[in-house]
Amino acid sequence: MSNIILETKDVVKKFGGLIAVKNVSMQVKEGEIFGIIGPNGAGKTTLLNSVSGVYKPEEGQVFFKGENITNQGAHVLCRKGIARTYQIVNSFPRMTVLENVKIGSIFGSAIPQDDDAKAREILDFVGFPLPVDTIAGNLNTVQLKYLELARALATNGELLLLDEVAAGLTPGELTEFIELIKRIRDRGITVITIEHVMKFIMTICERIIVLNYGEKIAEGTPEEIVNDKLVLEAYLGKEHAVEAE
Amino acid sequence: MTNLQSILNKQNTLSDNKFFKLLGVSPFGVAVFIILALSPLFIDDQYVMHLLISSLMFGALAIGFDFTVGFINIVNFGYAAFMGVGAYTSALLVSRLDLSPVLAMLAGSILAAILGFLIGLLTLRLRGMFAAIMAWFFGITLMSLAANMVDLTRGHLGLNVPILFPGAGRDAYFYLILGITAVTYIVLRKIINSHIGLAFRAIGQNIEAARSSGVDSTKYRVFNFTVSCFFAGLIGGFYAFFVGVLTPAVMHTRVTVEILVLCYIGGRGSLWGGLLAAFLVIPIFEYLRPLMEIRLIIYGLLMILVMIYYPGGLAAVYAQLVDLIRDMLGMKSKSVTG
Ligand SMILES: Nc1ncnc2c1ncn2[C@@H]1O[C@H](COP(=O)(O)OP(=O)(O)OP(=O)(O)O)[C@@H](O)[C@H]1O
Ligand SMILES: [Mg+2]
């Protein structure tokens, strides 16, 4: 059995009266591509935020490589090896592409890597199409996604958290992106990805959990998930799910 | 090769020179410094010297202000109060304890830096506007303290400050503030050009992304406030000896706003822009002294105009100019920092 790289135990995250994540437990194995799906507002992003130190969960624990990392700050976790991207792309708009990536390699890596060579190598790896001295503020959304991914990879993380990176890609871009994620996994990086794009989830994820109203309602391989009655209900509503059967 | 092109080429090779790299200044900046340093030899008019000193003083303050607003993107509305802390501390240490002015100014800067550290901690969890308001309240509190601790500061009656250079003219003050300005610029430029500066810019442009990329925003924000306030305190010490009388008015938000306007006109994030702006704006305002009452209105209008038409300020205009000349000469563009 392979090692568990990330584990959550009964994580609860509330916003005022709203319980956005309700007692979610999961185990992610080293080297796998792990999917999180669920309808809008299910709590997927909130769960990732609670794992990566952006939010502090009210209850439960998060373990990374066996260490209890609950309540540790985002910058600390980044250096420990948890890299991430955001659903709404984040960049440093008045910096060049190269500087954006260097932020990751200088500050986010356990051993700071200062040289441009490292940043250029990562940009090549993700296939970034523009000159490295382009100002990030001039990029389009898809380019920004690749840039953010490059910055995350530059931190030398062992675990990469992706939040709907495939959303909005054309079919051609999607195929390329799926290849990229596989190459990232082949580098030995574990990937947890939130996705609505079914083609992406079905082709690439080894295991998936499904969230609905903050609760984990299913867990398994893509095949198991598509045949799960609760999941169909969550996505289509009860009556339609019955019809679909 | 045209003459201009050879000059620009020369500037490029010189910029790569070890000496200039070490100081973090461009050959152009050094040339300006030398011209300024020689200017007292040619200027007899004490009033002109006075204007030069004022411009340098406000310019240096603008450099320290831009170090915060231009990089971590927080307006330190209490900035003038930190300058005032430096001013009162050095004045009191010299007049009450007979401390040497140099030590007194250093002590003033350190006290201002400690308070800067504190405001850094206080505003830590706050973003943009809220951090600015917190800094503002902090500044108002400091000013009220200065106004009310009458036994120490004489409050609004004004505190007389011992003369720094008895018998000497303005030149001594000029060289002192020229030195302080140069040190302020070089130290802050060195920090900005280092990784620390990169972290500042990351925090200023997107704090969430910065944190998730491993930048310890707490550490860098507190450090930024501490350093910025240290220099505000240092320049404040100079101010005390130069002006000779201190009232709590020096700590007023009005003063902060004047410095802020210099920064914006100069171009945020350039460090040197505010200094250049000071040389243009301060003399004009000194001439307009009778219009003191509407001074702030003029400042406000100036700022609105800059924000609408030249959001990048003088620094952006300069960069465009350099690029334009390079394009005209068919050279590859390379941005130059002051
Ligand atoms: N910062 C916040 N403050 C208050 N409520 C929030 C906050 N972030 C999320 N929520 C609420 O928590 C719930 C879960 O939101 P979350 O963003 O985690 O959903 P999601 O599964 O990522 O949805 P989507 O697919 O639309 O991205 C929603 O009801 C949302 O409105
Ligand atoms: Mg989401």
Side-chain angles (χ1 to χ4, degrees), chain A residues 199-231:
Chain A
K199 179 181 172 207
F200 182 86
I201 292 286
M202 292 304 155
T203 17
I204 208 166
C205 293
E206 286 142 65
R207 286 190 311 128
I208 296 171
I209 63 166
V210 185
L211 296 186
N212 191 26
Y213 294 111
E215 279 179 295
K216 184 171 90 175
I217 58 167
E219 174 167 11
T221 62
E223 295 73 41
E224 288 165 359
I225 295 297
V226 284
N227 295 316
D228 191 293
K229 194 160 165 249
L230 276 176
V231 177

PDB file of all heavy atoms in Angstrom, chain A residues 199-231:
ATOM      1  N   LYS A 199     -14.920  15.457 -18.685  1.00  0.00           N
ATOM      2  CA  LYS A 199     -13.918  14.756 -19.483  1.00  0.00           C
ATOM      3  C   LYS A 199     -12.599  14.707 -18.706  1.00  0.00           C
ATOM      4  O   LYS A 199     -11.914  13.685 -18.658  1.00  0.00           O
ATOM      5  CB  LYS A 199     -13.706  15.483 -20.816  1.00  0.00           C
ATOM      6  CG  LYS A 199     -12.655  14.794 -21.672  1.00  0.00           C
ATOM      7  CD  LYS A 199     -12.378  15.491 -22.987  1.00  0.00           C
ATOM      8  CE  LYS A 199     -11.176  14.825 -23.671  1.00  0.00           C
ATOM      9  NZ  LYS A 199     -10.459  15.725 -24.551  1.00  0.00           N
ATOM     10  N   PHE A 200     -12.289  15.830 -18.096  1.00  0.00           N
ATOM     11  CA  PHE A 200     -11.051  15.938 -17.336  1.00  0.00           C
ATOM     12  C   PHE A 200     -11.049  14.950 -16.166  1.00  0.00           C
ATOM     13  O   PHE A 200     -10.129  14.147 -16.014  1.00  0.00           O
ATOM     14  CB  PHE A 200     -10.926  17.375 -16.838  1.00  0.00           C
ATOM     15  CG  PHE A 200      -9.663  17.645 -16.084  1.00  0.00           C
ATOM     16  CD1 PHE A 200      -8.510  18.007 -16.763  1.00  0.00           C
ATOM     17  CD2 PHE A 200      -9.627  17.545 -14.706  1.00  0.00           C
ATOM     18  CE1 PHE A 200      -7.340  18.258 -16.073  1.00  0.00           C
ATOM     19  CE2 PHE A 200      -8.462  17.799 -14.014  1.00  0.00           C
ATOM     20  CZ  PHE A 200      -7.322  18.149 -14.695  1.00  0.00           C
ATOM     21  N   ILE A 201     -12.123  15.003 -15.388  1.00  0.00           N
ATOM     22  CA  ILE A 201     -12.218  14.141 -14.208  1.00  0.00           C
ATOM     23  C   ILE A 201     -12.133  12.668 -14.593  1.00  0.00           C
ATOM     24  O   ILE A 201     -11.412  11.883 -13.991  1.00  0.00           O
ATOM     25  CB  ILE A 201     -13.586  14.394 -13.506  1.00  0.00           C
ATOM     26  CG1 ILE A 201     -13.621  15.784 -12.915  1.00  0.00           C
ATOM     27  CG2 ILE A 201     -13.866  13.336 -12.460  1.00  0.00           C
ATOM     28  CD1 ILE A 201     -12.806  15.945 -11.685  1.00  0.00           C
ATOM     29  N   MET A 202     -12.879  12.304 -15.632  1.00  0.00           N
ATOM     30  CA  MET A 202     -12.996  10.893 -15.985  1.00  0.00           C
ATOM     31  C   MET A 202     -11.705  10.346 -16.576  1.00  0.00           C
ATOM     32  O   MET A 202     -11.358   9.192 -16.376  1.00  0.00           O
ATOM     33  CB  MET A 202     -14.158  10.691 -16.966  1.00  0.00           C
ATOM     34  CG  MET A 202     -15.502  10.957 -16.323  1.00  0.00           C
ATOM     35  SD  MET A 202     -15.713   9.932 -14.852  1.00  0.00           S
ATOM     36  CE  MET A 202     -16.875  10.874 -13.923  1.00  0.00           C
ATOM     37  N   THR A 203     -10.996  11.197 -17.355  1.00  0.00           N
ATOM     38  CA  THR A 203      -9.768  10.677 -17.970  1.00  0.00           C
ATOM     39  C   THR A 203      -8.612  10.599 -16.996  1.00  0.00           C
ATOM     40  O   THR A 203      -7.716   9.789 -17.167  1.00  0.00           O
ATOM     41  CB  THR A 203      -9.251  11.562 -19.135  1.00  0.00           C
ATOM     42  OG1 THR A 203      -9.870  12.825 -19.059  1.00  0.00           O
ATOM     43  CG2 THR A 203      -9.484  10.908 -20.470  1.00  0.00           C
ATOM     44  N   ILE A 204      -8.622  11.464 -16.009  1.00  0.00           N
ATOM     45  CA  ILE A 204      -7.353  11.656 -15.325  1.00  0.00           C
ATOM     46  C   ILE A 204      -7.343  11.233 -13.855  1.00  0.00           C
ATOM     47  O   ILE A 204      -6.312  10.804 -13.343  1.00  0.00           O
ATOM     48  CB  ILE A 204      -6.903  13.132 -15.504  1.00  0.00           C
ATOM     49  CG1 ILE A 204      -5.387  13.205 -15.434  1.00  0.00           C
ATOM     50  CG2 ILE A 204      -7.582  14.029 -14.529  1.00  0.00           C
ATOM     51  CD1 ILE A 204      -4.860  14.500 -15.905  1.00  0.00           C
ATOM     52  N   CYS A 205      -8.483  11.336 -13.186  1.00  0.00           N
ATOM     53  CA  CYS A 205      -8.453  11.082 -11.747  1.00  0.00           C
ATOM     54  C   CYS A 205      -8.475   9.586 -11.453  1.00  0.00           C
ATOM     55  O   CYS A 205      -9.210   8.828 -12.073  1.00  0.00           O
ATOM     56  CB  CYS A 205      -9.638  11.746 -11.065  1.00  0.00           C
ATOM     57  SG  CYS A 205      -9.529  13.521 -11.122  1.00  0.00           S
ATOM     58  N   GLU A 206      -7.659   9.203 -10.485  1.00  0.00           N
ATOM     59  CA  GLU A 206      -7.677   7.809 -10.063  1.00  0.00           C
ATOM     60  C   GLU A 206      -8.775   7.584  -9.038  1.00  0.00           C
ATOM     61  O   GLU A 206      -9.464   6.575  -9.055  1.00  0.00           O
ATOM     62  CB  GLU A 206      -6.306   7.411  -9.522  1.00  0.00           C
ATOM     63  CG  GLU A 206      -5.301   7.235 -10.659  1.00  0.00           C
ATOM     64  CD  GLU A 206      -3.924   7.738 -10.322  1.00  0.00           C
ATOM     65  OE1 GLU A 206      -3.299   7.170  -9.415  1.00  0.00           O
ATOM     66  OE2 GLU A 206      -3.478   8.716 -10.956  1.00  0.00           O
ATOM     67  N   ARG A 207      -8.921   8.558  -8.138  1.00  0.00           N
ATOM     68  CA  ARG A 207     -10.010   8.469  -7.162  1.00  0.00           C
ATOM     69  C   ARG A 207     -10.675   9.829  -7.033  1.00  0.00           C
ATOM     70  O   ARG A 207     -10.052  10.864  -7.270  1.00  0.00           O
ATOM     71  CB  ARG A 207      -9.478   8.011  -5.798  1.00  0.00           C
ATOM     72  CG  ARG A 207      -9.113   6.503  -5.792  1.00  0.00           C
ATOM     73  CD  ARG A 207      -8.823   6.005  -4.420  1.00  0.00           C
ATOM     74  NE  ARG A 207      -7.896   6.885  -3.739  1.00  0.00           N
ATOM     75  CZ  ARG A 207      -8.109   7.395  -2.525  1.00  0.00           C
ATOM     76  NH1 ARG A 207      -9.217   7.121  -1.865  1.00  0.00           N
ATOM     77  NH2 ARG A 207      -7.204   8.181  -1.966  1.00  0.00           N
ATOM     78  N   ILE A 208     -11.924   9.811  -6.609  1.00  0.00           N
ATOM     79  CA  ILE A 208     -12.702  11.051  -6.544  1.00  0.00           C
ATOM     80  C   ILE A 208     -13.505  11.059  -5.252  1.00  0.00           C
ATOM     81  O   ILE A 208     -13.975  10.010  -4.801  1.00  0.00           O
ATOM     82  CB  ILE A 208     -13.702  11.108  -7.736  1.00  0.00           C
ATOM     83  CG1 ILE A 208     -12.951  11.158  -9.073  1.00  0.00           C
ATOM     84  CG2 ILE A 208     -14.643  12.305  -7.616  1.00  0.00           C
ATOM     85  CD1 ILE A 208     -13.878  11.004 -10.271  1.00  0.00           C
ATOM     86  N   ILE A 209     -13.655  12.249  -4.649  1.00  0.00           N
ATOM     87  CA  ILE A 209     -14.699  12.367  -3.633  1.00  0.00           C
ATOM     88  C   ILE A 209     -15.720  13.381  -4.137  1.00  0.00           C
ATOM     89  O   ILE A 209     -15.403  14.270  -4.927  1.00  0.00           O
ATOM     90  CB  ILE A 209     -14.181  12.795  -2.240  1.00  0.00           C
ATOM     91  CG1 ILE A 209     -13.552  14.186  -2.285  1.00  0.00           C
ATOM     92  CG2 ILE A 209     -13.230  11.779  -1.656  1.00  0.00           C
ATOM     93  CD1 ILE A 209     -13.337  14.778  -0.912  1.00  0.00           C
ATOM     94  N   VAL A 210     -16.958  13.192  -3.677  1.00  0.00           N
ATOM     95  CA  VAL A 210     -18.029  14.085  -4.098  1.00  0.00           C
ATOM     96  C   VAL A 210     -18.544  14.835  -2.881  1.00  0.00           C
ATOM     97  O   VAL A 210     -18.874  14.219  -1.864  1.00  0.00           O
ATOM     98  CB  VAL A 210     -19.189  13.303  -4.748  1.00  0.00           C
ATOM     99  CG1 VAL A 210     -20.230  14.272  -5.295  1.00  0.00           C
ATOM    100  CG2 VAL A 210     -18.666  12.381  -5.831  1.00  0.00           C
ATOM    101  N   LEU A 211     -18.592  16.149  -2.971  1.00  0.00           N
ATOM    102  CA  LEU A 211     -19.151  16.959  -1.889  1.00  0.00           C
ATOM    103  C   LEU A 211     -20.520  17.478  -2.294  1.00  0.00           C
ATOM    104  O   LEU A 211     -20.760  17.778  -3.463  1.00  0.00           O
ATOM    105  CB  LEU A 211     -18.251  18.164  -1.578  1.00  0.00           C
ATOM    106  CG  LEU A 211     -16.840  17.919  -1.042  1.00  0.00           C
ATOM    107  CD1 LEU A 211     -16.202  19.260  -0.665  1.00  0.00           C
ATOM    108  CD2 LEU A 211     -16.865  17.003   0.163  1.00  0.00           C
ATOM    109  N   ASN A 212     -21.413  17.567  -1.314  1.00  0.00           N
ATOM    110  CA  ASN A 212     -22.703  18.194  -1.542  1.00  0.00           C
ATOM    111  C   ASN A 212     -23.115  18.865  -0.232  1.00  0.00           C
ATOM    112  O   ASN A 212     -23.095  18.231   0.815  1.00  0.00           O
ATOM    113  CB  ASN A 212     -23.728  17.139  -1.974  1.00  0.00           C
ATOM    114  CG  ASN A 212     -25.002  17.791  -2.489  1.00  0.00           C
ATOM    115  OD1 ASN A 212     -24.975  18.928  -2.971  1.00  0.00           O
ATOM    116  ND2 ASN A 212     -26.109  17.082  -2.359  1.00  0.00           N
ATOM    117  N   TYR A 213     -23.473  20.142  -0.289  1.00  0.00           N
ATOM    118  CA  TYR A 213     -23.781  20.905   0.930  1.00  0.00           C
ATOM    119  C   TYR A 213     -22.739  20.676   2.022  1.00  0.00           C
ATOM    120  O   TYR A 213     -23.078  20.476   3.187  1.00  0.00           O
ATOM    121  CB  TYR A 213     -25.175  20.557   1.447  1.00  0.00           C
ATOM    122  CG  TYR A 213     -26.268  21.001   0.509  1.00  0.00           C
ATOM    123  CD1 TYR A 213     -27.028  20.072  -0.190  1.00  0.00           C
ATOM    124  CD2 TYR A 213     -26.518  22.359   0.301  1.00  0.00           C
ATOM    125  CE1 TYR A 213     -28.016  20.484  -1.070  1.00  0.00           C
ATOM    126  CE2 TYR A 213     -27.494  22.770  -0.573  1.00  0.00           C
ATOM    127  CZ  TYR A 213     -28.250  21.839  -1.250  1.00  0.00           C
ATOM    128  OH  TYR A 213     -29.225  22.250  -2.126  1.00  0.00           O
ATOM    129  N   GLY A 214     -21.481  20.674   1.623  1.00  0.00           N
ATOM    130  CA  GLY A 214     -20.402  20.584   2.610  1.00  0.00           C
ATOM    131  C   GLY A 214     -20.082  19.189   3.087  1.00  0.00           C
ATOM    132  O   GLY A 214     -19.109  18.989   3.810  1.00  0.00           O
ATOM    133  N   GLU A 215     -20.917  18.194   2.682  1.00  0.00           N
ATOM    134  CA  GLU A 215     -20.675  16.838   3.169  1.00  0.00           C
ATOM    135  C   GLU A 215     -20.117  15.955   2.076  1.00  0.00           C
ATOM    136  O   GLU A 215     -20.476  16.103   0.897  1.00  0.00           O
ATOM    137  CB  GLU A 215     -21.983  16.228   3.684  1.00  0.00           C
ATOM    138  CG  GLU A 215     -22.325  16.676   5.076  1.00  0.00           C
ATOM    139  CD  GLU A 215     -23.633  16.080   5.547  1.00  0.00           C
ATOM    140  OE1 GLU A 215     -24.677  16.415   4.939  1.00  0.00           O
ATOM    141  OE2 GLU A 215     -23.617  15.288   6.490  1.00  0.00           O
ATOM    142  N   LYS A 216     -19.274  15.003   2.470  1.00  0.00           N
ATOM    143  CA  LYS A 216     -18.786  14.032   1.502  1.00  0.00           C
ATOM    144  C   LYS A 216     -19.890  12.991   1.307  1.00  0.00           C
ATOM    145  O   LYS A 216     -20.312  12.333   2.256  1.00  0.00           O
ATOM    146  CB  LYS A 216     -17.523  13.370   2.031  1.00  0.00           C
ATOM    147  CG  LYS A 216     -16.894  12.402   1.046  1.00  0.00           C
ATOM    148  CD  LYS A 216     -15.539  11.929   1.517  1.00  0.00           C
ATOM    149  CE  LYS A 216     -15.700  10.677   2.367  1.00  0.00           C
ATOM    150  NZ  LYS A 216     -14.401  10.095   2.754  1.00  0.00           N
ATOM    151  N   ILE A 217     -20.384  12.865   0.077  1.00  0.00           N
ATOM    152  CA  ILE A 217     -21.478  11.912  -0.147  1.00  0.00           C
ATOM    153  C   ILE A 217     -21.022  10.666  -0.891  1.00  0.00           C
ATOM    154  O   ILE A 217     -21.756   9.686  -0.975  1.00  0.00           O
ATOM    155  CB  ILE A 217     -22.674  12.559  -0.886  1.00  0.00           C
ATOM    156  CG1 ILE A 217     -22.212  13.136  -2.238  1.00  0.00           C
ATOM    157  CG2 ILE A 217     -23.347  13.618  -0.036  1.00  0.00           C
ATOM    158  CD1 ILE A 217     -23.376  13.504  -3.148  1.00  0.00           C
ATOM    159  N   ALA A 218     -19.850  10.684  -1.480  1.00  0.00           N
ATOM    160  CA  ALA A 218     -19.377   9.492  -2.185  1.00  0.00           C
ATOM    161  C   ALA A 218     -17.871   9.556  -2.355  1.00  0.00           C
ATOM    162  O   ALA A 218     -17.270  10.627  -2.263  1.00  0.00           O
ATOM    163  CB  ALA A 218     -20.040   9.391  -3.554  1.00  0.00           C
ATOM    164  N   GLU A 219     -17.280   8.408  -2.582  1.00  0.00           N
ATOM    165  CA  GLU A 219     -15.848   8.326  -2.760  1.00  0.00           C
ATOM    166  C   GLU A 219     -15.561   7.081  -3.580  1.00  0.00           C
ATOM    167  O   GLU A 219     -16.182   6.036  -3.379  1.00  0.00           O
ATOM    168  CB  GLU A 219     -15.171   8.218  -1.388  1.00  0.00           C
ATOM    169  CG  GLU A 219     -13.682   7.984  -1.463  1.00  0.00           C
ATOM    170  CD  GLU A 219     -12.994   8.209  -0.117  1.00  0.00           C
ATOM    171  OE1 GLU A 219     -13.706   8.332   0.899  1.00  0.00           O
ATOM    172  OE2 GLU A 219     -11.774   8.259  -0.114  1.00  0.00           O
ATOM    173  N   GLY A 220     -14.654   7.171  -4.547  1.00  0.00           N
ATOM    174  CA  GLY A 220     -14.329   5.978  -5.322  1.00  0.00           C
ATOM    175  C   GLY A 220     -13.661   6.298  -6.643  1.00  0.00           C
ATOM    176  O   GLY A 220     -13.259   7.448  -6.881  1.00  0.00           O
ATOM    177  N   THR A 221     -13.590   5.282  -7.508  1.00  0.00           N
ATOM    178  CA  THR A 221     -13.010   5.502  -8.831  1.00  0.00           C
ATOM    179  C   THR A 221     -14.043   6.215  -9.687  1.00  0.00           C
ATOM    180  O   THR A 221     -15.237   6.223  -9.355  1.00  0.00           O
ATOM    181  CB  THR A 221     -12.671   4.161  -9.497  1.00  0.00           C
ATOM    182  OG1 THR A 221     -13.900   3.431  -9.661  1.00  0.00           O
ATOM    183  CG2 THR A 221     -11.714   3.337  -8.653  1.00  0.00           C
ATOM    184  N   PRO A 222     -13.617   6.803 -10.811  1.00  0.00           N
ATOM    185  CA  PRO A 222     -14.577   7.498 -11.681  1.00  0.00           C
ATOM    186  C   PRO A 222     -15.773   6.619 -12.039  1.00  0.00           C
ATOM    187  O   PRO A 222     -16.907   7.105 -12.031  1.00  0.00           O
ATOM    188  CB  PRO A 222     -13.740   7.841 -12.911  1.00  0.00           C
ATOM    189  CG  PRO A 222     -12.359   7.975 -12.397  1.00  0.00           C
ATOM    190  CD  PRO A 222     -12.225   6.989 -11.279  1.00  0.00           C
ATOM    191  N   GLU A 223     -15.547   5.338 -12.333  1.00  0.00           N
ATOM    192  CA  GLU A 223     -16.656   4.455 -12.714  1.00  0.00           C
ATOM    193  C   GLU A 223     -17.646   4.307 -11.563  1.00  0.00           C
ATOM    194  O   GLU A 223     -18.856   4.384 -11.756  1.00  0.00           O
ATOM    195  CB  GLU A 223     -16.145   3.058 -13.116  1.00  0.00           C
ATOM    196  CG  GLU A 223     -15.287   3.044 -14.381  1.00  0.00           C
ATOM    197  CD  GLU A 223     -13.905   3.620 -14.162  1.00  0.00           C
ATOM    198  OE1 GLU A 223     -13.306   3.338 -13.102  1.00  0.00           O
ATOM    199  OE2 GLU A 223     -13.429   4.402 -15.013  1.00  0.00           O
ATOM    200  N   GLU A 224     -17.121   4.083 -10.390  1.00  0.00           N
ATOM    201  CA  GLU A 224     -17.994   3.934  -9.226  1.00  0.00           C
ATOM    202  C   GLU A 224     -18.827   5.200  -9.014  1.00  0.00           C
ATOM    203  O   GLU A 224     -20.006   5.141  -8.698  1.00  0.00           O
ATOM    204  CB  GLU A 224     -17.166   3.645  -7.966  1.00  0.00           C
ATOM    205  CG  GLU A 224     -16.565   2.246  -7.949  1.00  0.00           C
ATOM    206  CD  GLU A 224     -15.467   2.082  -6.897  1.00  0.00           C
ATOM    207  OE1 GLU A 224     -15.149   3.059  -6.197  1.00  0.00           O
ATOM    208  OE2 GLU A 224     -14.942   0.975  -6.795  1.00  0.00           O
ATOM    209  N   ILE A 225     -18.188   6.348  -9.214  1.00  0.00           N
ATOM    210  CA  ILE A 225     -18.872   7.613  -8.943  1.00  0.00           C
ATOM    211  C   ILE A 225     -20.020   7.856  -9.923  1.00  0.00           C
ATOM    212  O   ILE A 225     -21.114   8.248  -9.527  1.00  0.00           O
ATOM    213  CB  ILE A 225     -17.873   8.790  -8.993  1.00  0.00           C
ATOM    214  CG1 ILE A 225     -16.848   8.670  -7.866  1.00  0.00           C
ATOM    215  CG2 ILE A 225     -18.591  10.125  -8.928  1.00  0.00           C
ATOM    216  CD1 ILE A 225     -17.430   8.744  -6.485  1.00  0.00           C
ATOM    217  N   VAL A 226     -19.797   7.583 -11.217  1.00  0.00           N
ATOM    218  CA  VAL A 226     -20.871   7.886 -12.174  1.00  0.00           C
ATOM    219  C   VAL A 226     -22.082   7.001 -11.960  1.00  0.00           C
ATOM    220  O   VAL A 226     -23.183   7.339 -12.378  1.00  0.00           O
ATOM    221  CB  VAL A 226     -20.435   7.779 -13.664  1.00  0.00           C
ATOM    222  CG1 VAL A 226     -19.615   8.976 -14.048  1.00  0.00           C
ATOM    223  CG2 VAL A 226     -19.689   6.483 -13.934  1.00  0.00           C
ATOM    224  N   ASN A 227     -21.881   5.865 -11.311  1.00  0.00           N
ATOM    225  CA  ASN A 227     -23.022   4.978 -11.089  1.00  0.00           C
ATOM    226  C   ASN A 227     -23.644   5.146  -9.704  1.00  0.00           C
ATOM    227  O   ASN A 227     -24.541   4.406  -9.341  1.00  0.00           O
ATOM    228  CB  ASN A 227     -22.569   3.524 -11.284  1.00  0.00           C
ATOM    229  CG  ASN A 227     -22.164   3.289 -12.722  1.00  0.00           C
ATOM    230  OD1 ASN A 227     -22.849   3.731 -13.638  1.00  0.00           O
ATOM    231  ND2 ASN A 227     -21.040   2.634 -12.922  1.00  0.00           N
ATOM    232  N   ASP A 228     -23.136   6.134  -8.960  1.00  0.00           N
ATOM    233  CA  ASP A 228     -23.611   6.300  -7.586  1.00  0.00           C
ATOM    234  C   ASP A 228     -24.928   7.070  -7.578  1.00  0.00           C
ATOM    235  O   ASP A 228     -25.052   8.148  -8.168  1.00  0.00           O
ATOM    236  CB  ASP A 228     -22.547   7.055  -6.785  1.00  0.00           C
ATOM    237  CG  ASP A 228     -22.832   7.029  -5.305  1.00  0.00           C
ATOM    238  OD1 ASP A 228     -23.842   7.653  -4.888  1.00  0.00           O
ATOM    239  OD2 ASP A 228     -22.050   6.404  -4.572  1.00  0.00           O
ATOM    240  N   LYS A 229     -25.926   6.515  -6.901  1.00  0.00           N
ATOM    241  CA  LYS A 229     -27.256   7.109  -6.901  1.00  0.00           C
ATOM    242  C   LYS A 229     -27.279   8.479  -6.205  1.00  0.00           C
ATOM    243  O   LYS A 229     -27.855   9.448  -6.705  1.00  0.00           O
ATOM    244  CB  LYS A 229     -28.231   6.161  -6.199  1.00  0.00           C
ATOM    245  CG  LYS A 229     -29.668   6.523  -6.447  1.00  0.00           C
ATOM    246  CD  LYS A 229     -30.599   5.345  -6.165  1.00  0.00           C
ATOM    247  CE  LYS A 229     -32.009   5.829  -6.067  1.00  0.00           C
ATOM    248  NZ  LYS A 229     -32.578   5.762  -4.731  1.00  0.00           N
ATOM    249  N   LEU A 230     -26.601   8.560  -5.070  1.00  0.00           N
ATOM    250  CA  LEU A 230     -26.552   9.818  -4.329  1.00  0.00           C
ATOM    251  C   LEU A 230     -25.946  10.938  -5.166  1.00  0.00           C
ATOM    252  O   LEU A 230     -26.378  12.089  -5.133  1.00  0.00           O
ATOM    253  CB  LEU A 230     -25.720   9.639  -3.059  1.00  0.00           C
ATOM    254  CG  LEU A 230     -26.433   9.070  -1.841  1.00  0.00           C
ATOM    255  CD1 LEU A 230     -25.430   8.876  -0.706  1.00  0.00           C
ATOM    256  CD2 LEU A 230     -27.552  10.009  -1.401  1.00  0.00           C
ATOM    257  N   VAL A 231     -24.926  10.577  -5.928  1.00  0.00           N
ATOM    258  CA  VAL A 231     -24.248  11.579  -6.748  1.00  0.00           C
ATOM    259  C   VAL A 231     -25.185  12.080  -7.839  1.00  0.00           C
ATOM    260  O   VAL A 231     -25.296  13.287  -8.076  1.00  0.00           O
ATOM    261  CB  VAL A 231     -22.965  10.988  -7.374  1.00  0.00           C
ATOM    262  CG1 VAL A 231     -22.298  12.009  -8.290  1.00  0.00           C
ATOM    263  CG2 VAL A 231     -22.001  10.543  -6.284  1.00  0.00           C
TER     264      VAL A 231
END
